[in-house]
Amino acid sequence: MNAAYVRQAFRSSTASLSSRTIGRSSRDALASHGRRIVSIRQYSDDKAPAAEVDAEKEVETDKTEITPETELLKTIKAKEAETADLKSRLQYLQADFLNLQRNAAREKEQQRDFAITRFAGDLLETVDVLALALKSVPEDAFAQADSPSPDSSDSSSNSKSIQTYLKELHQGVDMTHRLLLSTLFKYHVKPFDPTGDMFDPNQHEAMYQAPIPGKEPGTILECQKTGYMIKDRLLRAAQVGVVQDTP
């Protein structure tokens, strides 16, 4: 009975030993398989694209570089750029304002100088009438006015003759004409007579053309109506006769 018990115990121990060996072998197989998987994963991780690695490095470097000092430097640079931009805009605005002041001053001066342009132009007709009145009286009439009239009686010897009245009237018209021209001259209105000059369509108005031998074509032969300038502007063109080009 003891021998049978010993055999049974030996069989059970052998079976348990074989089961332990099988379990160990299976565990070792699983462990080796796991190590292979891990090695494969590590190998695949080592073969990751370089772009992803660089991106991860940049993220890590960005994280490491973001500090209060760097943030302060960025803020200072942004403020400096904003200050430079505002300074540039201010300089442009200042230049525009100075140009506006100069233009306003120049326009004000021009308005003051040329404010009487229309009024002076209307007065020129009066000047022309006075000039025609002076030209209508010949100079020899004044000589007759100075000599006594033989038909005058003794009762009227102290009275003035008609020629004397005519002379005084002529003198009054001449004084009025000169005074009016002097007043216009104070406001920079000046007459000009282009007789003998070359014809300029910007300042002259041709009333007629005539062929004159010995005269250069385009020369102003006669000034029928005097021209006038107000400062450097033309107030009225001179009406002239021009020498015609002869074939």
Side-chain angles (χ1 to χ4, degrees), residues 1-91:
M1 184 174 179
N2 290 330
Y5 179 75
V6 171
R7 284 195 299 270
Q8 186 177 0
F10 177 76
R11 290 176 182 174
S12 61
S13 60
T14 302
S16 62
L17 181 60
S18 61
S19 62
R20 289 178 182 177
T21 302
I22 293 171
R24 287 180 181 177
S25 60
S26 61
R27 283 196 301 270
D28 294 338
L30 290 174
S32 63
H33 182 68
R35 284 194 297 271
R36 290 179 182 176
I37 294 174
V38 171
S39 63
I40 292 172
R41 289 179 179 177
Q42 289 179 353
Y43 180 77
S44 61
D45 292 339
D46 293 337
K47 296 298 181 177
E52 295 180 359
V53 175
D54 294 338
E56 291 178 357
K57 288 182 179 179
E58 289 179 358
V59 172
E60 291 178 357
T61 54
D62 292 339
K63 289 181 179 179
T64 56
E65 289 180 357
I66 296 176
T67 60
E69 289 79 5
T70 56
E71 290 291 336
L72 182 60
L73 290 175
K74 289 181 180 179
T75 304
I76 292 174
K77 290 181 180 179
K79 293 298 181 182
E80 288 178 352
E82 184 178 359
T83 304
D85 183 51
L86 292 176
K87 183 179 179 181
S88 177
R89 291 184 181 181
L90 181 61
Q91 290 176 349

Side-chain angles (χ1 to χ4, degrees), residues 128-190:
D128 293 337
V129 171
L130 293 175
L132 288 175
L134 294 174
K135 290 180 180 180
S136 63
V137 180
E139 294 181 359
D140 56 355
F142 301 138
Q144 295 178 5
D146 293 335
S147 62
S149 176
D151 297 335
S152 61
S153 60
D154 296 336
S155 60
S156 62
S157 59
N158 294 328
S159 63
K160 298 179 181 179
S161 63
I162 297 176
Q163 288 80 6
T164 304
Y165 283 116
L166 179 61
K167 182 179 180 179
E168 291 178 353
L169 177 61
H170 184 275
Q171 291 176 351
V173 173
D174 184 40
M175 291 177 61
T176 305
H177 182 259
R178 292 177 183 273
L179 181 60
L180 186 55
L181 288 177
S182 176
T183 303
L184 291 174
F185 186 80
K186 291 180 181 179
Y187 294 94
H188 309 287
V189 179
K190 301 177 183 179

Side-chain angles (χ1 to χ4, degrees), residues 1 74 94 100 112 114 122 167-168 211 216 230 233:
M1 184 174 179
K74 289 181 180 179
Q94 185 178 6
L100 181 62
R112 183 186 62 209
F114 302 107
D122 294 337
K167 182 179 180 179
E168 291 178 353
E216 184 179 359
I230 177 169
R233 291 186 182 181

